[in-house]
Amino acid sequence: MDPTTLAVRAMYEQFPYPAHPHPQIRVGCDVRLALSHGRLPAPERPLRVLDAGCGRGAGLLGMASVQPDVQFLGVDMNRVGLEEVRGQIAARGLKNVALQEIDLMTLEGLEVPEGGFDLIVSSGVLHHLSDPAEGLRRLRAVLAPHGVMTIMVYGQHGREGIYRLVRAVDALIPRDRPLLERLAVARRLVREGPMPGITDGPWKDIDGLATEEFVDRYLNVNERAYTTDEIHDLLGENGMCLLEFCERADWSLPPGSVAAALPARERHRIIDNLNWRPRLSFYATHAANGPRLPLPPEAWARQVAAVHPECSFQVSVRNLHRSQRVETIHYQVRLRERVQAPPGPLADALMILKDQNTPFPLANLISHLRSKGAEPLEVIGKLLAEEVIYLV
C-alpha cells in the first residue's frame, strides 16, 4: 500500500466509521433501479454487486438484506471493519454476501465475476484515495459493459463550513501530530465559543458528535471534495459519463426557470452553487453505454415497469358496519414530502401499485385506467415524473 492508503487505513481502524453501523438503505443501492438508467440491458443471470469500500458494513448489510436474490461482494482495507461485518453476516444469516480485504488503489486479488460487476457502489470512498482518478479507472475496468456505478463523493460548496474549522485546527496543531492530540485541540476549540460560520447549513450537530464521526468529518487524514464540474471532468477523463444524480428532485428546476433550458452540466453547476450539497451522489456508466433514451408516451404500453423501491404508500381506512372505506392514499419517495393523491385516477393507480412487488407490463395499468374512464398517459407520466414507478 502507498503511504496515504496506509494512513487512511490506520485512521479508520483506530476510529471505525460510522459510529453506529446499523444497516442502512442508502440512495442508489437498488441494483435494478440503478441499471434502469443505462442504455444497455442486463443479461438474464443473477446480478452481482461490488461494494467498493464497505467499511463497517452499514450500506452493504442494508443492500443485501432487501435484495436476497442478488450476490454482493464487500471489499475494504479496514481489517477491524471487515471483522465486524463478518460477524454481522453470520448473525443475520445472510447467504448472499462475501468479503475480501482489498486495496482499491490496486484491486490486487479482487475476485471479479465473468463479465464484470453489474453494479459497483462507492459511497464516501473515492475522495479518500491517494489518487481518486486511478481508483475510478480500476473500478471501471471491472464494471460490466452494461453496468452502472453509484458514487458518492463530498461536495466542495456544501462542506465549506467543515473546511473552515479544519483550517482553524490546522493553524493550531500540525497534521503530522497524532490524531488523539489533534482531536483534543479540535474538541476544545469547539467548546470554547459559538461558531455560527462553522455550524451553518447541516453541521449544527457538532457539539454532540460521536468521536468517530468527529474524526471522519473534521480530522480526516486524506480527502478531497468536488464541484459538479469536477465530477463531470473526472468521469469524462476516465471514459465514463454521468447518468443522473441519485436524488433527481434535488437537481431539478421548475419548468420555465431561467436556467431550466441550459445543458445538464451548466444546470448542475447553478444548483450546486445555490444549495447545500455536502454529498454528491450520482449514477455513472461507461461512455459506450450512456443514458437510457427517453421514450415517447405512445411507447409506454410496450414497456415493463416496477414500483420505485424507495417509494412508500400510506392508506387510511375507515371501518364501517361490515365494510371498510378507503379515505386517503399518500405516497412518499425517499425523504421528500408526503403527497396525498386526490380522489380519481391517480389514487386508483396508487391503490394497485402499493401491492405490486414485481415488474409488470405497463399496458395492464393503462388498460385499468382506461376502464375507469381516465386518460392513462397523463397518470403514467406523473407516476414516472414523481419516481413512483420506473421503466425496467
Side-chain angles (χ1 to χ4, degrees):
M1 291 184 186
D2 62 72
T4 298
T5 302
L6 286 170
V8 171
R9 179 168 76 171
M11 183 197 77
Y12 280 118
E13 290 186 345
Q14 184 179 7
F15 299 98
Y17 178 88
H20 307 290
H22 306 300
Q24 301 173 0
I25 308 300
R26 292 175 174 168
V27 62
C29 74
D30 187 273
V31 59
R32 293 174 177 85
L33 176 62
L35 291 173
S36 74
H37 292 282
R39 186 177 304 153
L40 298 177
E44 293 293 329
R45 56 159 176 73
L47 297 170
R48 293 93 53 115
V49 176
L50 173 66
D51 188 343
C54 63
R56 303 179 78 182
L60 176 64
L61 296 170
M63 288 191 293
S65 297
V66 297
Q67 300 175 88
D69 61 329
V70 177
Q71 295 300 311
F72 291 87
L73 174 60
V75 303
D76 207 290
M77 60 183 177
N78 181 342
R79 297 159 295 189
V80 174
L82 288 174
E83 194 58 34
E84 288 184 12
V85 181
R86 287 190 185 94
Q88 287 288 330
I89 291 171
R92 297 171 185 276
L94 296 173
K95 305 298 183 184
N96 59 332
V97 189
L99 297 173
Q100 280 192 274
E101 182 184 331
I102 297 290
D103 178 359
L104 294 181
M105 285 304 304
T106 67
L107 296 190
E108 183 177 349
L110 179 67
E111 297 175 2
V112 183
E114 184 178 355
F117 292 98
D118 301 290
L119 175 66
I120 296 177
V121 177
S122 173
S123 181
V125 177
L126 279 179
H127 47 235
H128 293 308
L129 300 183
S130 56
D131 185 345
E134 177 62 20
L136 180 63
R137 278 193 291 272
R138 292 188 180 276
L139 290 175
R140 176 180 176 268
V142 299
L143 181 69
H146 63 274
V148 170
M149 287 191 199
T150 299
I151 299 173
M152 186 277 278
V153 293
Y154 292 154
Q156 177 67 46
H157 299 317
R159 291 175 67 84
E160 185 53 37
I162 288 177
Y163 296 134
R164 293 176 71 175
L165 179 57
V166 169
R167 291 191 290 269
V169 173
D170 287 348
L172 289 169
I173 180 169
R175 287 189 170 229
D176 60 2
R177 299 302 303 159
L179 264 177
L180 283 174
E181 290 184 20
R182 285 174 52 80
L183 176 63
V185 170
R187 286 290 205 188
R188 178 178 173 182
L189 185 62
V190 169
R191 289 194 304 269
E192 285 180 347
M195 300 180 295
I198 304 303
T199 55
D200 284 347
W203 316 118
K204 294 179 173 60
D205 60 349
I206 188 171
D207 290 334
L209 208 58
T211 298
E212 297 88 347
E213 308 284 337
F214 191 97
V215 170
D216 176 73
R217 186 186 294 180
Y218 298 103
L219 300 173
N220 209 293
V221 298
N222 185 66
E223 71 174 54
R224 66 155 297 175
Y226 290 84
T227 64
T228 55
D229 278 319
E230 289 170 335
I231 287 173
H232 280 281
D233 290 340
L234 177 69
L235 294 172
E237 291 163 4
N238 289 282
M240 302 188 72
C241 65
L242 189 150
L243 292 171
E244 185 173 49
F245 282 94
C246 293
E247 185 51 270
R248 184 195 299 171
D250 285 350
W251 294 89
S252 301
L253 294 169
S257 164
V258 67
L262 292 175
R265 178 169 178 148
E266 295 177 34
R267 281 188 284 108
H268 295 158
R269 182 189 308 136
I270 290 171
I271 294 170
D272 189 28
N273 275 288
L274 295 178
N275 297 275
W276 291 107
R277 296 285 182 266
R279 300 176 185 86
L280 304 177
S281 299
F282 54 93
Y283 297 112
T285 190
H286 299 284
N289 182 3
R292 186 170 183 172
L293 300 177
L295 289 172
E298 55 268 23
W300 290 344
R302 300 190 296 274
Q303 304 304 308
V304 174
V307 176
H308 195 294
E310 294 172 67
C311 180
S312 61
F313 303 90
Q314 301 89 34
V315 179
S316 61
V317 177
R318 184 183 297 275
N319 288 327
L320 305 174
H321 180 62
R322 296 181 178 178
S323 66
Q324 285 185 324
R325 184 178 74 193
V326 173
E327 298 284 295
T328 60
I329 180 166
H330 294 76
Y331 64 92
Q332 182 176 21
V333 180
R334 300 195 185 99
L335 299 178
R336 300 177 204 165
E337 289 188 12
R338 196 173 65 148
V339 179
Q340 179 177 335
L346 180 60
D348 289 342
L350 293 173
M351 287 299 295
I352 294 173
L353 295 174
K354 71 179 179 62
D355 298 319
Q356 189 69 49
N357 59 12
T358 58
F360 60 94
L362 206 48
N364 293 353
L365 183 57
I366 290 173
S367 296
H368 171 79
L369 291 169
R370 282 205 177 110
S371 73
K372 297 284 188 176
E375 173 45 59
L377 297 187
E378 181 179 337
V379 178
I380 299 298
K382 184 171 182 62
L383 293 171
L384 289 169
E386 295 284 319
E387 295 186 274
V388 176
I389 62 173
Y390 67 95
L391 300 181
V392 175

